[in-house]
Amino acid sequence: MEAPVFFLALVFGIHIVAVNVGIALATLVPILKRRAELSGDARLAETARGLFRIYAATYGLAGVMGTAFTVFLLSFYPEFVGVAGNIAMIPFGIAIVAIVLHFFAIVAYWYGWDAFSPTAHFYAGVLLALTAYLIPLGFRAVFAFLNTPAGLSFDGKPWLDVAKALANPTFLPLYLKSVVGALTLGFLFVSAVLAVKGLRGGGLSGVEEDLYRDGLKWGTAGLLAMAFLGAWYTVSLTNTPIKFNNIFKGLGWAVQGVERLSDYSWLFAVKMLLVLAQAHILLRLTVFKPAEASTRAGYLGSIYAATAAALTVLTGEYLNAFSQYPFFVANLPLITSSVPEPWRTILGRSLDLRNVSPLALDPALYAVTAVGLLALLAAAGYFLYVVFLKSE
Amino acid sequence: MGLLEQWLSYPAAWDRILSIIGIEIHWLILQYVLGLPLMVLVALLAYRRSGDARWERMARTMTKALGLVFAVGAATGTASEFGLVVVWPNLLEAAGRYIYYPLYLEIFAFLTEIVFIYLLVFGWSKLSVNAKIAVAFLAMFGAWFSGAMITSVNSYMVAPTGIVAAYDPLTGWKYDQGYPKVLLVVPKDIVGALDVGKLQSLGMEVVGDTGQGVAVLMPSKIVARLAAEAWGGVRVRDSVLKLVVKPEALGAVGDLLVKDVVDKILVLTVQTVGYTTVTFQSPVYPGTLVHSIGAGVTVTAFTILGAYALLLIKSRDEKSRDYYMLGLKFGVVASLVAIVLQGAVFGHVMGEEIAKYNPEKLAAMEGTSSSILSVSRMLGLEKLMPLIAYGSLEAKLPSYDAIPADYCTLLGVPGVSDCRPPLMIHYLYYAKIGLAVLLGLYALLLAFLLYRRASLPGWVLWAGALSPVAAQLVSFLGWAVREMGRKPWSIYGVMTVDVAHTMNPADPLAYVLVALLFLGTLAGLIYAAFKVLYEPSVKG
């Protein structure tokens, strides 16, 4: 596999985990804040504010890594970016509008915490939550297109039939799986944050204890929902037979008559093991031994469950991305013959991940990137330490 | 043809209008990201030296403002980045293929910014003064590093490395010799397939042998046509190249995409120049860099001046008047230093670069056309300007009317009907200069009054309160002249706007909605600054 793919995977992995946590916190914080206002519960309001502070930091990290991903993509695969930019204005447009509104909502929600009226602040929170779901709507439409390019049309130039693109069989299951997965991770993340507090001996207040247990319960429900949504997405991938076979042929399932280009069944197995680990911990803490949840073992279990959930998101995204290697569009070999020239030639090479821009093949560039990323991630770690752990 | 009509007549008008709104709003905000870390750093140094708590209070307030503008600036920056992808995909692809390195480094600059700006904002109460000074310096480094990378790419678009413009101040325009020309390195296998005699008749000049290729000065009308064909999916047999390919080689190369030929030439050119340095060698880069950072510092300085002037007018907190006065003095000194440097030094350097490398733009800026009322002519500056621009009284300003309307096209390709820059930039440029002079005089007057410890009349403070708007307007006009004055080029001498923009533009209504979104974000930022910075300060 090409070195640029690993840089893309590194920043994308950090981005996607942070974004998933963000989607959940952007939903939960406004709800908790509203509940706190309606019940007059100052502790709950303070907890919500603490979670929002974490959200602001994770979103900053997600934003930087998202930008890094875009720039890496542009630098290593410029022709792909050119092709994508020419045809994907609508799905990218949805994401762009949502990103701007979401950033704006974060700023308004953060700075307006005590400055805005409760109603105005609540509506800022509604905007925050709504836009958190709109951003992946645009990007998942793009990802579904990368599975199978539904809506790609030609009339002397390539263009996108948006209605057909949104009817992509992999779009809806992918989108729903993504947001439910994000919520599941988010619920477990909140429980883990509170578990850390419990472990540090701070003791959880009543409202925090409720939130901790609710996080575990909703995380369990989310995991159950993911079993169905995962299956739906898997079935939809039969429309992307090369990708389907790259994941499942090693496990004995395959779409017949289609070649397998790689084998990522092992990554699917890792993901399933992580899911099983979560299920084991969560069922123990919520169903079989709920009294254990607020003990040291329970707190540790919650942290393990959240870590496993984050790794599940990560492996799931890597599985989705790597299983179409070496092509940006998984179905490319199957659709090439229907693409008119010269676009067949242009798409054939611009959608091939092995075609790294010749000017970006310098090993010195990769060395600089690795060192630079390490230094800056260390600086980011120091930032998180100062903001969240260092005393005044 | 009216001035506005001329500007709108270039291709992709809606795309250009949307880009002006989006990028200008981003620029308006990020100038503070360039300027505020420096101001925080100076205030913190003053605090460490004097122990005067007012300096720390000022640094803290400016840091809060920095956190706010950085967050919204990141949002508009992300939107602008995606806007470039979907509105100007071919331009972005070209940038990604050949001049990606500064954009690549921009990631690290952005990471540096976000880590240290937010460390300063959120870690303020947990850091010692020395640590804050170090962090403020690193935040400034990140912001300026980022600015240095982006402006290098923009400089390349204004004057690509190796460009030879079509004007000699002593002899006049050189379009009849095929200028402007771009220095390119053509791989030897391509050279071998071409009829050199025919190429020379088109104005190609061989400069030398680089080993792997032959360095040539290629007329930009050929380069622009090849760029149009490359991004239009044309093959060599249907291209203008067919005219210069040896008949015996046509069979072998006829099926190649023009893009592949262009790609080989540009890749070898960039490899020869150095992929890490190619944009930094743009001849207009030094002026662009200092003038851009200077703009950020100037706007920030006037905003500080304006903020404290407004507080002196409006605040009911009498205890803080000393602090407001200190802030006003700081703003005045910073504004005066910044605007003098920006106008007399940085602006002059950039002006000389424009005169040498973008003569068509200079002709439009100076309004050297008989079809408009020229401010320059009216003020009798026409004899002085050649001395300022070219350092010689013998020199002549380039005549706008002598620019051929079709100098950037070859046999009607690219599809641009007027290759001359829009004349409306003449008025934008002189409005900018006039306003900048007024701002400089105002800062001088205020400095004089403060030095003499004279009382400040109400109108002087009100003028100060409005000065940030004027400074932003000056900056906007400067940016507009730079960007609009490059039309119809997206990359001067290489790619025109019709080639750069998307082949599937959206409905104008969608553009209007996105533009309104940008404007709404700006309004939101102003409201947030009002609630978070202004209101608490006024209440005391």
Side-chain angles (χ1 to χ4, degrees), chain B residues 341-427:
Chain B
L341 278 175
Q342 179 70 347
V345 183
F346 305 156
H348 178 64
V349 172
M350 197 155 108
E352 284 184 326
E353 291 170 351
I354 290 170
K356 192 167 178 186
Y357 296 100
N358 300 114
E360 292 89 1
K361 186 191 282 185
L362 181 71
M365 281 165 68
E366 287 302 326
T368 59
S369 169
S370 57
S371 64
I372 61 165
L373 175 66
S374 165
V375 178
S376 175
R377 242 185 341 256
M378 211 165 60
L379 297 175
L381 295 172
E382 276 189 319
K383 289 188 178 160
L384 183 63
M385 285 311 295
L387 179 66
I388 294 172
Y390 297 110
S392 165
L393 280 171
E394 302 300 312
K396 289 180 211 147
L397 287 178
S399 162
Y400 185 89
D401 294 337
I403 303 172
D406 62 349
Y407 83 85
C408 66
T409 66
L410 183 62
L411 305 173
V413 179
V416 174
S417 57
D418 190 349
C419 300
R420 296 169 302 178
L423 265 171
M424 68 187 285
I425 66 168
H426 170 63
Y427 296 107

Side-chain angles (χ1 to χ4, degrees), chain A residues 131-152:
Chain A
T131 49
Y133 293 90
L134 263 180
I135 298 170
L137 188 80
F139 283 128
R140 285 315 192 193
V142 173
F143 273 68
F145 185 86
L146 295 180
N147 281 339
T148 186
L152 180 62

Side-chain angles (χ1 to χ4, degrees), chain A residues 376, chain B residues 33-34 37-38 41 108-110 112-113 116-117 134-149 293:
Chain A
L376 286 164
Chain B
V33 179
L34 289 170
L38 173 67
L41 181 63
F108 303 106
F110 187 39
T112 309
E113 278 182 283
F116 293 107
I117 287 176
V135 172
F137 174 78
L138 288 167
M140 184 183 80
F141 170 76
W144 289 18
F145 181 19
S146 173
M149 297 304 107
I293 292 178

Side-chain angles (χ1 to χ4, degrees), chain B residues 31-51:
Chain B
Q31 287 177 98
Y32 295 117
V33 179
L34 289 170
L36 277 170
L38 173 67
M39 300 302 171
V40 172
L41 181 63
V42 172
L44 284 170
L45 287 169
Y47 171 58
R48 193 178 66 167
R49 188 162 180 266
S50 65

Side-chain angles (χ1 to χ4, degrees), chain A residues 157-158 349 359 369 387 390, chain B residues 100 104 126 260 275 503-504:
Chain A
K157 61 176 184 181
R349 65 182 190 209
L359 288 166
T369 307
V387 173
K390 193 171 188 277
Chain B
Y100 72 95
Y104 196 84
K126 301 178 182 182
D260 292 330
Y275 79 94
M503 58 178 77
N504 295 302

Side-chain angles (χ1 to χ4, degrees), chain A residues 186-198:
Chain A
F187 292 134
L188 297 179
F189 178 80
V190 170
S191 290
V193 168
L194 294 166
V196 169
K197 190 176 179 190

Side-chain angles (χ1 to χ4, degrees), chain A residues 7 53 56 59-61 63-72 74-76 78-90 92-93 96-101 103-104 107 110-112 115-116 139 155 157-160 341-343 345-346 349 357-362 364-366 368-373 376-377 379-380 382-392, chain B residues 15 64 67-68 71-72 74-76 78-83 85-87 89-90 92-101 103-112 114-116 118-123 125-128 230-235 257 259-260 263 266-268 270-271 275-276 501-507 511 514 517-518 520-521 523-525 527-528 531-532:
Chain A
F7 286 125
R53 190 177 289 123
Y59 201 82
L61 192 65
V64 172
M65 291 302 158
T67 303
F69 180 79
T70 313
V71 176
F72 281 161
L74 174 68
S75 309
F76 298 133
E79 199 170 16
F80 168 72
V81 174
V83 168
N86 266 306
I87 61 176
M89 185 178 273
I90 301 293
F92 275 135
I96 295 166
V97 168
I99 286 171
V100 174
L101 286 173
F103 261 109
F104 180 70
V107 173
W110 175 255
Y111 285 102
F116 294 174
F139 283 128
D155 59 358
K157 61 176 184 181
W159 61 282
L160 189 68
E341 286 289 6
W343 301 105
T345 307
I346 293 170
R349 65 182 190 209
S357 173
L359 288 166
L361 285 170
D362 186 352
L365 179 77
Y366 303 150
V368 166
T369 307
V371 172
L373 280 177
L376 286 164
L377 287 175
Y382 177 69
F383 161 69
L384 293 174
Y385 160 74
V386 169
V387 173
F388 296 119
L389 300 173
K390 193 171 188 277
S391 54
E392 291 191 15
Chain B
D15 304 75
K64 273 188 195 169
L68 193 62
V72 183
T76 55
T78 304
S80 298
E81 177 195 355
F82 275 107
V85 172
V86 296
V87 179
N90 298 337
L92 203 67
E93 182 191 335
R97 284 171 96 85
Y98 313 113
I99 55 170
Y100 72 95
Y101 192 66
L103 293 172
Y104 196 84
L105 288 187
E106 228 278 321
I107 297 169
F108 303 106
F110 187 39
L111 266 167
T112 309
I114 200 162
V115 167
F116 293 107
Y118 279 127
L119 188 57
L120 199 62
V121 173
F122 292 117
S125 55
K126 301 178 182 182
L127 298 170
S128 68
W231 271 273
V234 175
R235 293 188 186 278
L257 285 166
K259 196 172 194 177
D260 292 330
D263 192 42
L266 289 175
V267 164
L268 185 60
V270 172
Q271 278 171 337
Y275 79 94
T276 59
H501 87 129
T502 176
M503 58 178 77
N504 295 302
D507 190 270
Y511 284 12
V514 174
L517 177 69
F518 268 105
T521 303
L525 173 65
Y527 179 70
K531 293 294 284 186
V532 174

Side-chain angles (χ1 to χ4, degrees), chain B residues 3 27 30 41 145 147 150 158 161 166 186 210 278 289 301 308 315 339 371 389 392 414 421 425 434 489 497 509:
Chain B
L3 296 179
W27 170 238
L30 70 81
L41 181 63
F145 181 19
I150 294 296
V158 169
T161 305
V186 184
T210 67
V278 64
L289 176 62
Y308 286 103
S315 178
I339 202 162
S371 64
S392 165
I425 66 168
W489 298 102
V497 279
L509 181 64

